[in-house]
C-alpha cells in the first residue's frame, strides 16, 4: 500500500483504520482488538485513528489493553488521537455542558491521559478535534509546540477546521500543522468545491477524510438511486463492493486524501484494501460525482 509522507520521519498508510467504535463491539478483548490490528497490518494499513472522546472516553483504553497484551504491535503502527471535546461522560461526567477546551492545561492533561490509556510513550499525531470559538491561538499554539518539544507528541494537526481556523492557529505556532481531518465522501463532497480541499492541496498538506462511506448510507442502500446504480455497476466491473468504490473515489483525487475507515467487522476490515483494486479514471470519477450531485456539472 502506498504511504503518505507526514514529516521527515513519519508517514501514514494511505488508508487509515478508524477506532471510533472500538469499544462498541460485543468483543473488546485484547485478543480481538489485536486481530483487528493484525488484519490491517496484513494489508499495509498501519495508521490507527483514535480520539479521547471516542466511546465516552473509553476507546483509547480498549486499544491500550490490546497493546499491553501484544506490545510488539506498538512498533508497527502509527497512532493519531484527538482532544478538546469535553462532554458529560466518562472522566468528565460532572461537566454541566458539552464544550471545547483548547487551554494549555487541558491539552497537556489530555496528552498524558491518552499516553497512559493507550500504553504508549509517544503519540504520532495529536489533532485538535473541533474548532473552538473561544480559542486563544497564542495559548493553544504554544501548548501544541510544547507537547512536540517534550517528545510526547511527534506531530500535530487539526480536525474539522476551516481555512480561517487553520491560519489563526498556525500563526501562533512554530510547529507546522501536518493534516486536517475533514468529512469527505460521495455524500459530503462539498469540500472539493468550497475551498476546504483546495487550501490544503495548495500547501501540500495531506487530508484525512472521516466518514468516507457517508456514515454508512453509501453501503446501506439509503440515498440517491442513481448514485447507488453507478457504484454497483463499477463494483461489479471490478469484482468488489460499493464500499470499495466509495473509498476508491477519494483515493483517486490528487490531494492525497487518506480515508479513515471505521468498522468492527473483522471480515470487513480484511477487505479495506479492496479499494485499491478499483479502476477510477477521470470520467469514472465524474460519473460518480454527477450521480452524487443529481445533475451534470455546469
Amino acid at each position: 500500500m502506498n504511504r503518505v509522507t507526514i514529516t521527515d520521519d513519519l508517514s501514514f498508510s494511505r488508508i487509515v483504520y478508524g477506532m471510533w467504535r472500538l469499544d462498541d463491539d460485543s468483543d473488546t478483548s485484547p485478543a480481538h482488538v489485536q486481530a483487528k490490528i493484525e488484519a490491517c497490518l496484513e494489508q499495509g494499513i498501519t495508521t490507527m485513528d483514535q480520539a479521547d472522546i471516542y466511546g465516552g472516553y473509553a476507546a483509547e483504553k480498549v486499544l491500550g489493553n490490546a497493546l499491553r497484551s501484544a506490545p510488539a504491535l506498538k512498533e508497527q503502527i502509527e497512532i493519531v488521537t484527538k482532544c478538546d471535546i469535553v462532554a458529560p461522560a466518562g472522566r468528565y461526567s460532572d461537566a454541566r455542558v458539552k464544550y471545547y477546551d483548547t487551554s494549555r492545561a487541558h491539552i497537556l492533561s489530555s496528552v498524558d491521559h491518552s499516553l497512559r490509556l493507550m500504553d504508549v510513550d509517544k503519540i504520532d499525531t495529536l489533532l485538535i478535534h473541533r474548532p473552538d470559538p473561544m480559542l486563544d491561538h497564542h495559548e493553544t499554539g504554544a501548548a501544541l509546540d510544547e507537547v512536540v518539544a517534550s517528545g510526547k507528541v511527534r506531530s500535530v494537526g487539526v480536525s474539522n477546521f476551516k481555512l480561517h481556523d487553520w491560519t489563526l492557529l498556525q500563526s501562533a505556532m512554530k510547529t507546522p500543522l501536518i493534516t486536517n481531518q475533514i468529512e469527505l465522501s460521495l455524500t459530503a463532497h462539498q469540500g472539493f468545491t468550497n475551498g476546504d480541499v483546495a487550501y490544503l492541496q495548495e500547501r501540500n498538506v495531506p487530508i484525512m477524510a472521516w466518514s468516507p462511506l457517508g456514515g454508512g448510507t453509501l453501503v446501506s442502500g439509503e440515498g440517491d438511486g442513481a448514485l447507488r446504480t453507478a457504484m454497483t455497476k463499477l463494483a461489479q466491473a471490478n469484482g468488489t463492493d460499493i464500499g470499495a468504490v466509495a473509498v476508491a473515489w477519494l483515493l483517486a483525487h490528487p490531494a492525497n486524501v487518506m480515508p479513515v475507515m471505521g468498522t468492527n467487522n473483522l471480515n470487513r476490515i480484511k477487505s479495506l484494501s479492496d479499494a485499491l483494486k478499483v479502476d477510477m479514471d477521470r470520467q469514472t470519477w465524474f460519473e460518480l460525482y454527477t450521480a452524487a450531485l443529481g445533475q451534470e456539472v455546469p
Side-chain angles (χ1 to χ4, degrees), residues 16-24 47-64 78-87 89-92 98 100 106-107 109-118 120 123-130 157-160 181 208 210 260 262:
V16 175
Y17 180 51
M19 295 183 163
W20 174 37
R21 295 191 176 102
L22 191 64
D23 66 299
D24 188 25
T47 307
M48 309 289 138
D49 180 71
Q50 271 279 2
D52 60 354
I53 194 175
Y54 288 172
Y57 304 96
E60 286 183 326
K61 184 176 181 180
V62 173
L63 172 60
E78 304 85 40
I79 294 179
V80 179
T81 196
K82 313 174 193 71
C83 71
D84 97 328
I85 301 177
V86 180
R91 63 178 181 264
Y92 300 115
K98 183 179 180 181
Y100 306 135
H106 183 79
I107 291 172
S109 175
S110 294
V111 166
D112 287 341
H113 271 294
S114 294
L115 290 171
R116 183 174 63 257
L117 291 174
M118 293 188 291
V120 293
I123 295 165
D124 291 293
T125 302
L126 175 71
L127 306 182
I128 297 298
H129 204 157
R130 289 278 178 179
V158 295
S159 181
N160 301 295
Q181 186 173 136
M208 298 181 74
W210 63 265
V260 180

Side-chain angles (χ1 to χ4, degrees), residues 22 44 60 77 92 98 100-101 110 117 121 130 135 145 153 156 161 181 197 201 209 217 233 249 254 274 280 295:
L22 191 64
E60 286 183 326
I77 63 175
Y92 300 115
K98 183 179 180 181
Y100 306 135
D101 191 343
S110 294
L117 291 174
D121 297 325
R130 289 278 178 179
L135 177 75
D145 286 338
V153 173
V156 290
F161 271 42
Q181 186 173 136
V197 169
Q201 186 177 354
T217 60
K233 179 180 178 181
W249 187 79
D274 283 358
M280 185 73 63
Q295 61 186 30

Side-chain angles (χ1 to χ4, degrees), residues 135-152:
L135 177 75
D136 179 336
H137 63 300
H138 293 294
E139 179 179 0
T140 302
L144 293 175
D145 286 338
E146 182 178 347
V147 295
V148 172
S150 72
K152 295 179 179 180

Side-chain angles (χ1 to χ4, degrees), residues 216-227:
T217 60
L218 288 168
V219 295
S220 66
E222 302 175 39
D224 183 76
L227 177 57

Side-chain angles (χ1 to χ4, degrees), residues 1-4 6 11-17 40 43-48 78 257-259:
M1 178 174 294
N2 291 338
R3 299 188 65 80
V4 177
I6 303 300
S11 65
F12 287 170
S13 53
R14 190 65 195 279
I15 295 174
V16 175
Y17 180 51
C40 289
Q43 303 166 80
I45 299 172
T46 62
T47 307
M48 309 289 138
E78 304 85 40
V257 178
M258 296 175 285

Side-chain angles (χ1 to χ4, degrees), residues 7 141-150 153-157 166 169-178:
T7 66
L144 293 175
D145 286 338
E146 182 178 347
V147 295
V148 172
S150 72
V153 173
R154 182 173 295 180
S155 62
V156 290
W166 175 287
L169 179 57
Q170 187 68 90
S171 72
M173 295 179 64
K174 298 176 182 177
T175 309
L177 297 170
I178 55 85

